[in-house]
């Protein structure tokens, strides 16, 4: 019988044995969306892929975008929790379970997109029978197989002691299949020294192995596009660009999942400001790196103006894909500002009128109007320099106004930025795949309008993602119980060590003297 | 080794689209509704379209227009991007360098259609349909082997198809020569588009034979290939308008 | 072909072009992972047979020489 804190038991273990009507209602809602998607998919199988909006030359559409997006999300977990484990970041403890669950679930949903996109899904196993090593799709089959199996293992290994806890603390009146499940998954876990030694070794090896696999997965997905000679795809930086985008969107997914789990399950004591702060810094860095790659990718296209590539870029900058492209850029810039501004803003500034949240609304409206005039959607209300000046000034003021608001609500602000990034990254994948497909070499430029089939299946894919994630968290603790207990002991030991504060330098001392 | 190649003399081509029609009947490409065709789902293994495809300054504005038409079969590249990306060898290059498609193997991932810079590959978005009268006139030829289905055999929804240089005609010619107990000569076989060409603008033959018409015409100063800079090395060679 | 006509390159080309070889790699890799994970799990399970009476809900006290705090 393994011991567990009463508080941990009440917060993390006991909710798994009951289910509220709200939970079942939510599950029903998800099942309804999935049912709709399944019906539309059935139609697509019966009548052919013509039920989608895809055509020639747009042979790949929303399904491919979803595929890249979901596999990108999957980098949340394993990569982040593995890197944090390897580097010994203590604060990771309470969020690793959520991160690893996202990984496994996103991989399942992502791989499913390939099957959905196939003209003859019943021939899927041909990939495993006639697989040709030259095809990037087979590289993908290799790396995604390795990643899926690896991340399921990586999710499962730290779950063993928790499954044993659940087995030992299972209530008398609980459902019997659930008890049997925990007993099975605990694989005879006693928790003696030898077992802990072996488990820790296995987790440490997995954490190292999973990192190169994760990097390879999204690199290879980018190579599916980059190894063709199509305009706009045949790029050398796609590998690292996609990996960066994957980690970036992965952190976004982790933030959203963390916030929801924290709010719904009341885990404020486990997932605290510390996790938000530290992961937030990583989020800012990934945003900046992503921006840098995006700029580098498009600058070379814009400067070269190669005859076949430039129309692709032009369609993004001011053509039919411009709304999506600039929405993506705006979302990323806003996410960056939401994360960075509270760090820059001194606490006292919050009281100043310039930073009043209400002021930001007015200025935001002015900014929107000037932006629309510049884009030619509205008549210019003044001369060009005035409009540009108004845009810059109102944007600055609006940014300042919301900054104070975000500073007082770190969790909500981070979740908002994370949602912006998730939407932005979906659009990024769309902006990479669709414009090249509609601007081929020797076929008429086309337009691509997804149909209800694609919308339904996309909605069902997201519902499936949420469904699997919810079911997982209903069966297993959202926070790795043993890791958190261990972390508490380590924290307590560290607290005993006294580290003297650094002596303020003479310059700092004189500065403070002058100020006060 | 023979290396089948085609020459298209653009000076002679009158853009009548006879090649497209001949190809359609030889290879059983399905008819399609006007709405679907407007969406870009028509299947024309041998397409004829204005070049440059997308209006640029080069084409000019009325009345100073110069429209060039370009008949486009599959290029049967020597370095085919489609073959390289297929995960299951649903498309492959045979010993004569012809790029062929196995409908029994294709999984419908459409990686080859995406990879082909010429847009020469087509996907069956729906099951094919012919009116009863037309269905009676389908070409009965097919190239069948073990887990292998090619040629004009009717394709189901969800697989990719393409020009095969009328591979069934090559086999028929070889079979005839064998039945008559003599060696097969390269000039016994031409694809349907070459046979039908009104202006006799197309030539077909063995590029490896230096004395063949195609080999000699490929040395013509007017000779060029489409998208030479993407490195596919097509075996369909055009002769520029003079 | 786009490579030197030597035995090495021909061999490498056959390696990447023959259908089935990729499948073998996927299956060997997938099977290898499943097998090694299974063996690891058995190894962890067998760890419970060690002649140790003390059990721990988390590893710190036994593995990392911290004091045990009874919660």
């Amino acid at each position: 019988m393994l011991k567990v804190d009463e508080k941990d038991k009440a917060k993390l273990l006991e909710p798994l044995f009951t289910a509220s009507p709200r939970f079942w209602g939510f599950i029903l809602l998800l099942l309804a969306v999935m049912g709709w998607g399944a019906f539309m998919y059935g139609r697509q199988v019966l009548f052919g892929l013509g039920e989608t909006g895809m055509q020639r030359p747009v042979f790949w559409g929303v399904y491919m975008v979803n595929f890249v997006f979901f596999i990108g999300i999957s980098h949340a977990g394993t990569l982040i929790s593995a890197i944090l484990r390897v580097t010994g970041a203590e604060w990771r403890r309470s969020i690793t379970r959520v991160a690893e669950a996202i990984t496994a679930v996103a991989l399942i949903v992502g791989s499913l997109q390939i099957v959905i996109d196939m003209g003859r899904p019943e021939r899927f196993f041909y990939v495993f029978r006639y697989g040709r090593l030259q095809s990037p799709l087979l590289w993908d089959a290799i790396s995604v197989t390795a990643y899926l199996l690896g991340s399921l293992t990586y999710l499962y290994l730290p779950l063993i002691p928790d499954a044993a806890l659940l087995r030992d603390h299972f209530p008398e009146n609980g459902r019997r299949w659930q008890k049997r499940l925990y007993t099975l998954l605990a694989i005879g876990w006693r928790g003696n020294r030898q077992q802990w030694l072996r488990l820790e070794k296995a987790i440490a090896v997995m954490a190292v192995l999973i990192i190169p696999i994760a990097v390879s997965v999204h690199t290879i997905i980018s190579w599916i596009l980059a190894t063709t000679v199509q305009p706009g795809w045949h790029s050398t930086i796609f590998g690292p660009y996609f990996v960066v985008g994957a980690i970036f969107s992965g952190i976004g997914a982790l933030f959203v999942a963390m916030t929801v789990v924290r709010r719904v399950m009341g885990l404020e004591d486990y997932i605290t400001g510390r996790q938000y702060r530290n992961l937030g810094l990583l989020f800012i860095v990934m945003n900046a790196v992503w921006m840098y790659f995006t700029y580098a990718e498009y600058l070379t296209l814009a400067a070269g103006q190669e005859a076949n590539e430039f129309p692709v870029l032009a369609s993004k900058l001011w053509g039919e894909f411009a709304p999506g492209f600039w929405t993506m850029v705006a979302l990323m810039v806003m996410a960056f500002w939401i994360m960075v501004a509270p760090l820059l803003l001194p606490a006292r500034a919050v009281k100043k009128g310039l930073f009043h949240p209400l002021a930001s609304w007015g200025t935001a409206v002015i900014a929107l109007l000037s932006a629309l005039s510049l884009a030619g959607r509205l008549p210019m209300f003044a001369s060009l320099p005035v409009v540009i000046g108004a845009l810059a000034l109102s944007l600055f003021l609006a940014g300042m106004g919301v900054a104070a608001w975000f500073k007082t609500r770190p969790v909500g602000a981070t979740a908002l930025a994370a949602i912006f990034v998730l939407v932005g990254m979906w659009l990024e994948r769309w902006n990479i795949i669709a414009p090249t497909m509609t601007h081929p070499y020797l076929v008429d430029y086309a337009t691509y309008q997804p149909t209800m089939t694609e919308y339904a299946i996309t909605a069902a894919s997201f519902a499936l993602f949420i469904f699997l994630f919810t079911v997982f968290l209903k069966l297993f603790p959202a926070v790795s119980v043993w890791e958190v207990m261990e972390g508490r002991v380590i924290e307590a030991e560290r607290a005993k060590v006294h580290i003297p504060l650094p002596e303020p330098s003479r310059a700092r001392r004189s500065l403070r003297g002058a100020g006060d | 080794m023979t290396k089948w190649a085609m020459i298209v003399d653009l000076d002679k081509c009158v853009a009548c689209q006879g090649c497209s029609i001949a190809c359609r009947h030889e290879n059983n490409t399905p008819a399609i509704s006007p709405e679907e065709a407007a969406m870009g789902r028509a299947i024309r293994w041998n397409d004829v379209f204005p070049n440059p495809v997308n209006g640029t300054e080069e084409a000019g504005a009325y009345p100073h227009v110069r429209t060039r038409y370009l008949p486009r079969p599959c290029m049967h590249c020597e370095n085919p991007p489609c073959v390289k990306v297929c995960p299951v060898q649903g498309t492959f290059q045979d010993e004569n360098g012809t790029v062929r498609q196995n409908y029994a193997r294709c999984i419908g991932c459409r990686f080859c259609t995406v990879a082909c810079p010429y847009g020469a590959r087509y996907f069956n978005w729906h099951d094919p349909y012919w009116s009863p009268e037309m269905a009676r006139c389908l070409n009965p030829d097919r190239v069948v082997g073990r887990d292998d289905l090619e040629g004009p055999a009717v394709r189901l929804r969800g697989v990719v198809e393409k020009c095969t240089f009328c591979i069934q005609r090559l086999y028929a010619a070889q079979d005839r020569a064998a039945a008559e107990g003599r060696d097969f000569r390269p000039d016994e076989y031409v694809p349907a588009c070459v046979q039908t060409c009104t202006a006799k603008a197309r030539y077909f033959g063995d590029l490896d034979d230096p004395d063949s018409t195609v080999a000699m015409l490929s040395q013509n100063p007017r000779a060029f290939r489409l998208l030479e800079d993407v490195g596919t090395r097509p075996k369909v060679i055009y002769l520029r308008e003079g | 072909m786009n490579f030197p006509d030597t035995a090495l390159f021909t061999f490498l080309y056959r390696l990447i072009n023959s259908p089935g070889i990729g499948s073998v790699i996927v299956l060997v890799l997938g099977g290898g992972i499943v097998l090694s994970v299974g063996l690891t799990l058995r190894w962890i399970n067998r760890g419970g047979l060690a002649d140790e009476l003390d059990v721990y809900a988390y590893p710190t006290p036994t593995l990392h020489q911290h004091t045990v705090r009874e919660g």
Side-chain angles (χ1 to χ4, degrees):
Chain A
M1 183 84 177
L2 298 167
K3 287 200 189 75
V4 61
D5 282 357
E6 278 309 310
K7 194 185 126 215
D8 289 342
K9 192 178 172 186
K11 274 282 176 197
L12 299 173
L13 301 189
E14 263 150 25
L16 305 180
F17 307 128
T18 56
S20 63
R22 262 177 61 203
F23 170 77
W24 288 114
F26 185 60
I27 290 289
L28 265 176
L29 178 75
L30 291 175
L31 284 176
V33 178
M34 282 154 60
W36 181 44
F39 170 72
M40 294 306 258
Y41 178 65
R43 281 189 38 143
Q44 180 189 302
V45 170
L46 281 181
F47 300 122
L49 275 167
E51 293 302 307
T52 69
M54 290 187 275
Q55 19 90 348
R56 175 177 173 270
V58 187
F59 288 105
W60 282 344
V62 167
Y63 300 149
M64 202 64 189
V65 177
N66 289 342
F67 168 65
V68 183
F69 177 78
F70 277 113
I71 303 283
I73 294 288
S74 78
H75 284 58
T78 314
L79 199 52
I80 291 162
S81 75
I83 288 175
L84 296 181
R85 235 186 256 269
V86 169
T87 53
E90 279 299 315
W91 54 271
R92 70 159 204 280
R93 288 177 184 277
S94 57
I95 56 172
T96 46
R97 177 68 46 78
V98 170
E100 286 152 17
I102 293 176
T103 300
V105 169
L107 268 175
I108 293 168
V109 179
S111 319
L112 201 59
Q113 300 298 318
I114 286 287
V115 182
I116 292 171
D117 197 34
M118 280 171 62
R120 299 220 71 94
E122 79 276 14
R123 293 182 183 171
F124 179 71
F125 77 95
Y126 280 14
V127 176
F128 301 105
R129 185 168 153 203
Y130 302 112
R132 264 181 80 252
L133 268 187
Q134 195 181 18
S135 166
L137 265 187
L138 212 84
W139 312 342
D140 222 18
I142 293 171
S143 68
V144 169
T145 306
Y147 194 34
L148 182 62
L149 293 175
S151 63
L152 283 175
T153 312
Y154 192 60
L155 174 67
Y156 175 50
L157 284 180
L159 196 67
I160 297 174
D162 278 5
L165 277 181
L166 284 163
R167 177 196 61 195
D168 290 355
H169 294 269
F170 202 79
E172 293 297 320
N173 54 353
R175 282 159 296 195
R176 282 188 56 207
W177 63 265
Q178 209 176 345
K179 168 126 192 176
R180 242 179 275 146
L181 176 74
Y182 295 141
T183 314
L184 184 75
L185 287 179
I187 52 162
W189 180 262
R190 275 178 60 219
N192 57 336
R193 187 186 151 79
Q194 186 72 7
Q195 275 192 327
W196 277 114
L197 204 64
R198 293 184 174 183
L199 182 77
E200 287 218 326
K201 223 176 244 173
I203 293 178
V205 170
M206 253 345 266
V208 175
L209 282 183
I210 208 87
I211 294 173
I213 298 180
V215 170
S216 83
V217 167
H218 228 70
T219 308
I220 288 171
I221 284 177
S222 83
W223 284 345
I224 289 184
L225 308 179
T227 51
T228 67
V229 291
Q230 297 298 346
W233 284 357
H234 196 51
S235 159
T236 52
I237 71 163
F238 261 32
Y241 183 28
F242 273 49
V243 172
V244 163
I247 300 175
F248 185 32
S249 65
I251 302 177
L254 180 53
F255 266 136
V256 173
M258 251 163 81
T259 310
V260 172
V261 164
R262 179 180 193 261
R263 186 73 45 93
V264 172
M265 303 175 125
L267 301 182
E268 282 84 357
D269 289 344
Y270 296 86
I271 303 171
T272 62
R274 192 174 167 210
Q275 277 78 26
Y276 280 89
R277 222 169 17 250
N278 289 339
L279 200 57
L281 291 177
L282 200 56
F283 203 37
I284 295 172
V285 171
M286 293 319 288
N287 195 332
V289 177
W290 179 86
M291 285 280 181
Y292 162 71
F293 267 107
T294 306
Y295 184 73
E297 169 67 15
Y298 291 122
L299 177 77
T300 48
L301 292 183
Q305 303 216 354
E306 200 268 323
N308 291 299
E309 284 183 338
F310 194 66
V312 179
L313 181 65
S315 75
K316 298 183 199 185
L317 294 185
W318 52 75
E320 77 250 46
F321 292 102
F325 182 83
W326 292 109
T327 306
M328 167 190 87
V329 173
L331 286 172
M332 296 309 190
V333 171
M334 286 195 285
F336 188 77
W337 180 249
I338 292 172
M339 298 304 294
V340 166
L343 299 178
L344 299 179
L345 202 66
R348 282 176 305 180
V350 174
K351 298 193 190 82
K352 298 276 189 301
L354 173 66
F355 300 105
H356 196 278
L358 270 181
S360 63
W361 283 107
T363 44
V365 170
I366 301 174
L368 186 68
L369 289 178
S370 9
L372 284 176
S373 326
L374 284 176
R377 301 292 164 95
L378 282 180
M380 297 280 272
F381 54 82
S383 64
L384 185 63
V386 175
V387 176
I388 291 179
L391 178 65
L393 185 68
S394 52
L395 270 184
F396 175 74
L397 290 175
M400 285 298 169
V402 288
W405 195 77
F406 290 133
K407 194 175 176 67
T408 50
R409 293 164 186 77
V411 172
T414 310
L416 185 69
I419 291 170
F420 282 1
V421 167
L422 283 182
V423 177
M425 283 310 292
W426 195 92
L427 284 172
E428 192 240 47
R429 273 70 203 249
W430 168 265
N431 288 328
I432 284 176
I433 290 172
T436 291
M437 288 273 82
T438 56
H439 293 80
Y441 282 110
L442 278 175
V443 189
D444 286 346
Y445 290 168
T447 51
Y448 168 52
Q449 179 65 50
T451 60
M452 196 45 87
T453 306
E454 283 154 297
Y455 292 132
I457 292 178
T458 302
S461 302
F462 279 91
L464 177 66
F465 177 86
I466 299 170
F467 174 80
L468 291 175
F469 188 72
T470 312
V471 168
F472 178 81
L473 290 192
K474 199 66 208 171
L475 287 176
F476 302 101
V479 170
S480 184
V481 182
W482 69 270
E483 285 191 85
V484 167
M485 290 198 286
E486 184 190 27
R488 262 188 225 124
V489 181
I490 293 174
E491 290 289 301
E493 285 300 312
R494 287 206 177 150
K496 285 182 194 157
V497 181
H498 175 70
I499 303 167
L501 286 170
E503 280 285 306
S505 70
R506 192 176 296 156
R508 175 65 68 87
R509 232 181 346 240
S510 63
L511 207 69
R512 191 179 295 166
D516 287 8
Chain B
M1 198 76 81
T2 35
K3 192 153 101 182
W4 299 113
M6 189 188 286
I7 305 279
V8 183
D9 189 342
L10 296 177
D11 233 0
K12 286 187 179 175
C13 174
V14 295
C16 67
Q17 305 178 46
C19 44
S20 259
I21 300 298
C23 171
R24 172 167 301 265
H25 289 282
E26 173 69 29
N27 290 299
N28 295 336
T29 52
I32 199 173
S33 72
E35 299 80 49
E36 290 274 300
M39 275 187 83
R41 288 179 178 168
I43 298 182
R44 285 186 289 258
W45 290 9
N46 190 312
D47 205 358
V48 181
F49 51 81
N51 190 33
V53 186
N54 291 291
T56 61
E57 311 84 63
E58 280 174 59
Y62 181 82
H64 308 290
V65 195
R66 184 176 165 86
T67 308
R68 303 151 195 260
Y69 274 88
L70 195 71
R72 194 237 52 225
C74 169
M75 297 292 127
H76 293 279
C77 311
E78 286 188 60
N79 178 25
C82 53
V83 167
K84 288 197 281 188
V85 299
C86 182
V88 295
Q89 207 169 56
T91 186
F92 58 98
Q93 222 172 357
D94 69 11
E95 65 283 2
N96 297 329
T98 305
V99 178
R100 284 158 56 178
Q101 181 77 21
N102 180 354
Y103 315 127
R105 180 75 64 83
C106 176
I107 61 171
C109 68
R110 305 189 299 294
F111 200 172
C112 55
T113 57
V114 167
C116 174
Y118 301 99
R121 300 182 143 263
Y122 295 83
F123 183 71
N124 283 280
W125 300 101
H126 292 289
D127 271 328
Y129 170 78
W130 290 274
S131 61
E133 300 79 30
M134 284 174 76
R136 275 201 302 277
C137 308
L138 290 179
N139 183 353
D141 285 352
R142 51 207 268 134
V143 177
V144 191
R146 204 171 63 83
D147 62 32
D148 205 42
L149 181 63
E150 296 180 60
V154 168
R155 282 77 64 183
L156 295 177
R157 63 172 186 275
V159 300
V160 170
E161 57 181 69
K162 67 179 286 294
C163 158
T164 62
F165 273 167
C166 294
I167 189 70
Q168 67 279 9
R169 288 174 156 238
L170 170 65
Y171 287 149
Q174 283 173 337
D175 287 352
R176 198 180 311 123
E180 291 171 10
R182 56 180 173 79
D183 284 343
F184 166 75
R185 292 193 324 271
D187 61 354
E188 290 181 60
Y189 149 59
V190 289
C193 56
V194 178
Q195 185 182 9
T196 205
C197 184
T198 322
K200 302 224 180 313
R202 291 188 179 219
Y203 307 87
F204 190 78
D206 178 11
L207 201 60
D208 266 0
D209 173 8
D211 298 327
S212 71
T213 318
V214 288
M216 284 193 278
L217 281 175
S218 72
Q219 303 302 318
N220 190 303
R222 291 197 290 136
F224 75 99
R225 299 164 201 232
L226 284 182
L227 302 181
E228 283 178 67
D229 50 347
V230 297
T232 50
R233 298 197 283 142
K235 287 201 296 291
V236 171
I237 301 162
Y238 291 88
L239 299 181
R240 205 179 301 279
E241 284 168 281
Chain C
M1 287 298 140
N2 317 306
F3 45 81
D5 189 18
T6 61
L8 175 66
F9 280 93
T10 312
F11 168 73
L12 291 177
Y13 181 72
R14 292 239 178 95
L15 200 64
I16 59 167
N17 190 42
S18 306
I21 292 186
S23 319
V24 169
I25 293 194
V26 175
L27 296 179
V28 165
L29 188 81
I33 292 174
V34 170
L35 184 72
S36 51
V37 168
L39 288 177
T40 308
L41 293 180
R42 203 182 66 150
W43 180 61
I44 292 172
N45 171 265
R46 292 285 166 84
L49 300 179
D51 189 20
E52 296 159 342
L53 285 178
D54 291 341
V55 293
Y56 312 89
Y58 51 92
T60 321
T62 171
L63 294 190
H64 307 293
Q65 285 85 43
H66 287 296
T67 49
V68 187
R69 286 196 318 163
E70 284 302 323

